Amino acid sequence: VDSMNSAGLGFVVKLQDWMKNQSMADMMRKNGLMEDRLNVSLLEQHRQTLNQRYARVLAQTPSNFDSATYWPECAQIIKQIHNQGQCGSC
């Protein structure tokens, strides 16, 4: 946890109670680790995955986008301000 948090990846990790009895193999399987990447450190694997995702997203991201213009039939709903203050998903 400390090495991930000190790596400057743009987020903070926390060891949850349910993780304390998990083996590294269990964690790697839950995170979708492919067998051919077992020789690479977990931190390096994460960096590689993020770099691939960012490159893919940046290549496909337009310079500007207005969802209300793109989906005019939904513009009224899209532009409506929704109160998510009690959502709880965060």
Side-chain angles (χ1 to χ4, degrees):
V1 173
D2 292 336
S3 65
M4 293 288 285
N5 288 334
S6 65
L9 297 173
F11 56 88
V12 176
V13 297
K14 178 181 175 186
L15 185 63
Q16 302 291 330
D17 286 336
W18 66 267
M19 298 174 177
K20 292 180 181 175
N21 295 319
Q22 297 287 311
S23 70
M24 182 58 79
D26 290 337
M27 293 300 290
M28 290 191 292
R29 276 192 295 278
K30 285 181 187 249
N31 288 311
L33 180 65
M34 293 182 265
E35 295 296 322
D36 63 339
R37 297 181 72 185
L38 288 176
N39 296 342
V40 182
S41 76
L42 190 57
L43 180 58
E44 184 55 33
Q45 290 171 32
H46 186 71
R47 281 189 182 140
Q48 290 172 3
T49 301
L50 284 179
N51 287 340
Q52 291 168 357
R53 287 180 185 167
Y54 289 150
R56 201 168 38 244
V57 167
L58 289 175
Q60 298 172 352
T61 305
S63 59
N64 60 41
F65 180 80
D66 179 6
S67 56
T69 302
Y70 191 77
W71 295 290
E73 66 277 9
C74 301
Q76 184 178 9
I77 294 171
I78 292 171
K79 291 183 176 186
Q80 184 178 10
I81 297 172
H82 301 274
N83 180 358
Q84 297 179 357
Q86 300 298 317
C87 175
S89 67
C90 297

